[in-house]
Amino acid sequence: MKKLLVMMSCVLLTGCGISLGDDDKLDITSKFNGTWNIYEQISRNSDGVITYHAIPWGGLVASVKEHNMPVDWSGYESVQVEFAEPTKVETQILVSDRLSTWGKAGITKLTCYFDGQNVSSVDEVVLQAADSGTVYVKSVRLSPVTTVWDSQTIWTGHCKFGNWENGFAVKPEQFSSAYEGDKLELVYTTDRSEPTVTYWQYKSIYNGTEDTLEGNESEQNNWGAVMVGKMSTACRFVLTAKDVKNLKEKGLFINGFYMNVTQVNLLRKGMSKN
């Protein structure tokens, strides 16, 4: 009799149009239940907030496998961590060692965008801290793909940064059709020819100045550089009104640390998906 009541309840809920699993698939907070380092500690408050006592290069880990197999996240555009309190240390979202996004101290949200990356086989998501400290995680959610981006190539070449030795400029006229809210995309490979190199970075400035772009400000470290994942092949960020104005006047200059950049694209919003 009890089994029959449970089955009837499920049928009624489905019949009323209530999806029992869609929102659960977007919210992956509950999957963060382990750490990479035995010296780290985690606890979960009654309101669901995770208290994570981090050490440098440890990790708060969520396994997202289903039936012990990696999952396909091609239908999602990003994963976002919302913090219950502003962070006091730099943090990083790492997705299957393929792509990552750094956030400076003091932020309340950190988003790792998937666009331009292969996320067809994801096994885990990790939140890391650059230093020892306590991080309070309110929620971690996936965002479905809602917008198609039309791409315009504005620079091609083959720039090997080396140890900040080389860089390249994109002329102001290449941004003549840019608008606030457009995205800038860098296409690259990480240079792993030097065994001692364990991280990869780029820095984007308005050409002829020392001012970094606003669009990726939340990801910049104290020197204005942005970290990219070891296996990543592209990164994107949204241009602000200030970015667009300065890029149209001055153009763009990019250099960095052991990345080989081959293309820069300007992305415009196309049709929205229903």
Side-chain angles (χ1 to χ4, degrees):
M1 184 65 177
K2 185 180 292 184
K3 290 182 179 178
L4 179 62
L5 288 173
V6 171
M7 291 177 62
M8 289 180 64
S9 298
C10 292
V11 171
L12 287 171
L13 286 170
T14 306
C16 292
I18 298 176
S19 174
L20 298 178
D22 290 349
D23 193 61
D24 288 342
K25 290 181 180 179
L26 297 179
D27 191 331
I28 61 171
T29 315
S30 62
K31 295 182 180 293
F32 285 83
N33 51 22
T35 62
W36 269 353
N37 195 295
I38 60 173
Y39 298 105
E40 297 178 291
Q41 295 181 349
I42 59 172
S43 61
R44 197 178 301 269
N45 301 342
S46 58
D47 58 1
V49 171
I50 300 172
T51 301
Y52 168 45
H53 300 285
I55 65 172
W57 305 111
L60 175 62
V61 185
S63 173
V64 296
K65 289 182 179 180
E66 293 181 2
H67 308 295
N68 292 321
M69 295 294 292
V71 295
D72 185 356
W73 277 4
S74 301
Y76 302 106
E77 65 181 8
S78 67
V79 60
Q80 182 182 82
V81 177
E82 183 176 0
F83 302 100
E85 296 182 11
T87 57
K88 292 182 173 61
V89 295
E90 289 181 288
T91 52
Q92 175 185 229
I93 301 174
L94 181 65
V95 179
S96 289
D97 199 31
R98 292 182 180 273
L99 63 154
S100 62
T101 299
W102 273 100
K104 62 183 181 181
I107 60 174
T108 56
K109 289 182 181 179
L110 180 60
T111 304
C112 181
Y113 290 98
F114 303 155
D115 42 17
Q117 303 294 324
N118 180 3
V119 288
S120 61
S121 181
V122 178
D123 56 359
E124 67 179 12
V125 181
V126 182
L127 180 69
Q128 293 184 298
D131 204 350
S132 298
T134 302
V135 181
Y136 301 94
V137 178
K138 182 177 180 180
S139 66
V140 186
R141 293 183 63 84
L142 292 165
S143 174
V145 174
T146 57
T147 304
V148 175
W149 295 87
D150 297 327
S151 178
Q152 173 191 348
T153 300
I154 58 175
W155 181 88
T156 58
H158 193 78
C159 184
K160 293 186 175 183
F161 290 156
N163 186 4
W164 298 96
E165 297 159 351
N166 301 307
F168 64 92
V170 182
K171 296 179 179 180
E173 52 264 35
Q174 296 292 342
F175 298 95
S176 60
S177 62
Y179 290 91
E180 178 184 3
D182 289 351
K183 287 186 178 182
L184 200 65
E185 177 184 54
L186 272 65
V187 180
Y188 57 85
T189 56
T190 53
D191 185 349
R192 300 191 291 277
S193 61
E194 175 53 61
T196 59
V197 173
T198 57
Y199 63 92
W200 297 264
Q201 295 177 324
Y202 75 93
K203 185 175 182 178
S204 54
I205 62 175
Y206 310 125
N207 196 23
T209 77
E210 294 297 324
D211 298 329
T212 55
L213 272 65
E214 278 190 339
N216 58 8
E217 184 179 11
S218 66
E219 302 174 49
Q220 297 172 15
N221 62 20
N222 293 336
W223 297 273
V226 175
M227 195 92 68
V228 301
K230 177 181 179 180
M231 303 299 292
S232 64
T233 57
C235 62
R236 300 179 180 184
F237 59 91
V238 178
L239 299 175
T240 67
K242 179 182 176 181
D243 287 338
V244 172
K245 178 178 181 296
N246 282 304
L247 290 171
K248 287 183 176 181
E249 293 178 357
K250 300 176 174 65
L252 172 72
F253 182 80
I254 298 179
N255 66 342
F257 186 77
Y258 284 93
M259 292 171 60
N260 302 331
V261 180
T262 56
Q263 191 167 318
V264 180
N265 300 318
L266 181 64
L267 306 179
R268 304 285 304 280
K269 283 186 178 181
M271 63 180 182
S272 295
K273 290 188 175 183
N274 294 326

